[in-house]
């Protein structure tokens, strides 16, 4: 005899979290549509001024601290157009030199991309007269910058590295995408991530890692935190937005500006800050 059991609904997320996830997903789709429209504008490298003579020393207001150039580095299968809004925000609030770099879509190794990033940064320092830069990296861009800093001696050139949704401990999202070597290097336990887990005594760069509790590309979401005993790092929890929103959300832009403006004593130590969204 067939016994009919009372129907039970599947367990769902709490209503508040479910609503937040729906809103975040809708925002992600809207951002994706806008970004696809802008994508062609960022394919070509950014034009940069070429001074005729040696670079002049940075011109700063009397008593103002020296601000190094800010370098923006995009994520996987993306380009510099993702930073249109963040770049505008940084320039509007006093950053005089902001440059967006494209890493080649043909790159198949984070180590190679990190070496090329190092060459770009040397050129920027030579051209601007600044001995250091700040970097803001989204997703894979943050991992490339971290490898440069931690494994290629880039800590002498990078004052602060801000990462937005970067898989510092590896992400397990989209298993089928593992066919691409760069994606495999972003998997937990990859050779690149094992290298980044090795001791890094004396690393001078300060890290600020923004991670979102609704980032569906970071699995688990905490992988976007920097957890390394030798690094000067602070982790900033973002609530209510997803992966694609991190480089365009105005509240995150405010957090990035504050992170870049802080001195070493304000940033030292690993701790969660207040949510920014």
């Amino acid at each position: 005899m067939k016994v009919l059991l009372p129907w039970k609904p599947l367990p769902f997320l709490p209503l508040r979290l479910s609503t937040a996830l729906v809103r975040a997903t809708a925002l992600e789709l809207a951002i994706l549509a806008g970004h696809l429209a802008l994508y062609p504008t960022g394919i070509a490298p950014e034009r940069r001024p070429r001074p005729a003579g040696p670079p002049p020393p940075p011109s700063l207001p009397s008593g103002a601290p020296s601000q190094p150039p800010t370098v923006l580095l995009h994520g996987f299968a993306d380009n510099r157009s993702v930073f249109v809004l963040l770049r505008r925000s940084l320039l509007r609030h006093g950053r005089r030199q902001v440059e967006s770099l494209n890493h080649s879509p043909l790159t198949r190794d984070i180590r190679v991309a990190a070496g090329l990033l190092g060459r770009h940064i040397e050129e920027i320092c030579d051209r601007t007269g600044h001995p250091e830069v700040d970097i803001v990296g989204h997703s894979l861009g943050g991992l490339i910058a971290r490898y440069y800093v931690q494994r290629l001696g880039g800590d002498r050139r990078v004052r602060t590295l801000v990462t937005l949704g970067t898989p510092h401990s590896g992400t397990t999202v989209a298993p089928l995408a593992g066919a691409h070597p760069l994606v495999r290097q972003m998997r937990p336990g990859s050779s690149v991530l094992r290298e980044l887990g090795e001791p890094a005594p004396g690393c001078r760069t300060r890290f600020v890692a923004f991670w979102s509790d609704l980032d569906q590309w970071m699995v688990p979401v905490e992988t976007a935190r920097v957890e390394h005993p030798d690094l000067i790092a602070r982790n900033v929890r973002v609530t209510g937005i997803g992966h694609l929103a991190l480089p365009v959300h105005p509240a995150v832009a405010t957090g990035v500006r504050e992170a870049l403006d802080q001195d070493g004593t304000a940033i030292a130590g690993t701790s969660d800050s207040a949510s920014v969204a």
Side-chain angles (χ1 to χ4, degrees):
M1 184 176 69
K2 187 180 292 185
V3 178
L4 298 178
L5 298 176
W7 177 81
K8 289 185 178 181
L10 293 174
F12 288 102
L13 294 172
L15 179 60
R16 184 173 62 180
L17 178 56
S18 178
T19 302
L21 184 58
V22 169
R23 289 177 178 172
T25 302
L27 179 60
E28 290 283 281
L29 292 174
I31 290 171
L32 177 60
H35 185 41
L36 289 175
L38 283 175
Y39 190 91
T41 68
I43 294 175
E46 187 174 74
R47 292 184 179 180
R48 300 180 183 91
R50 294 192 174 276
S59 176
L60 298 167
S62 177
S66 175
Q67 287 188 336
T70 303
V71 178
L72 308 177
L73 194 62
H74 64 81
F76 179 70
D78 209 341
N79 64 37
R80 61 185 178 85
S81 63
V82 73
F83 288 119
V84 167
L85 296 180
L86 178 59
R87 177 192 177 97
R88 186 180 304 165
S89 174
L90 292 171
L91 290 171
R92 187 187 305 125
H93 289 84
R95 288 264 156 178
R96 297 188 173 190
Q97 296 168 318
V98 181
E99 302 196 9
S100 301
L101 299 181
N102 281 349
H103 48 83
S104 171
L106 302 178
T107 300
R108 301 172 66 84
D109 193 307
I110 287 174
R111 303 174 186 90
V112 172
L116 293 174
L117 172 63
R119 295 182 197 174
H120 283 299
I121 289 176
E122 289 299 321
E123 186 275 330
I124 290 171
C125 290
D126 289 344
R127 172 164 43 85
T128 64
H130 282 273
E132 293 180 309
V133 302
D134 290 333
I135 299 180
V136 180
H138 180 226
S139 197
L140 172 64
L143 210 56
I144 292 171
R146 179 177 172 184
Y147 194 92
Y148 165 65
V149 163
Q150 204 174 320
R151 303 294 297 175
L152 302 181
D155 62 321
R156 70 185 181 88
R157 286 298 195 194
V158 181
R159 187 188 68 157
T160 302
L161 170 56
V162 176
T163 64
L164 308 174
T166 290
H168 291 286
S169 301
T171 178
T172 60
V173 74
L176 295 180
H180 196 289
L182 277 180
V183 176
R184 290 198 297 272
Q185 290 182 334
M186 291 189 281
R187 296 289 191 218
S190 73
S191 59
V192 166
L193 294 183
R194 289 198 302 271
E195 287 183 57
L196 293 178
E198 293 177 3
C203 183
R204 291 161 284 191
T205 299
R206 299 167 287 169
F207 292 78
V208 182
F210 287 77
W211 65 283
S212 173
D213 57 359
L214 294 180
D215 189 335
Q216 298 182 60
W217 290 98
M218 297 295 107
V219 179
V221 293
E222 292 83 5
T223 191
R225 294 166 52 95
V226 174
E227 305 284 1
H228 193 295
D230 294 333
L231 300 182
I232 305 168
R234 184 165 61 90
N235 294 299
V236 181
R237 183 186 182 200
V238 181
T239 62
I241 62 174
H243 190 73
L244 298 179
L246 286 168
V248 302
H249 198 284
V252 177
T254 299
V256 169
R257 295 197 310 268
E258 292 173 351
L260 295 178
D261 290 340
Q262 287 176 335
D263 59 26
T265 57
I267 210 172
T270 303
S271 63
D272 281 328
S273 80
S275 301
V276 299

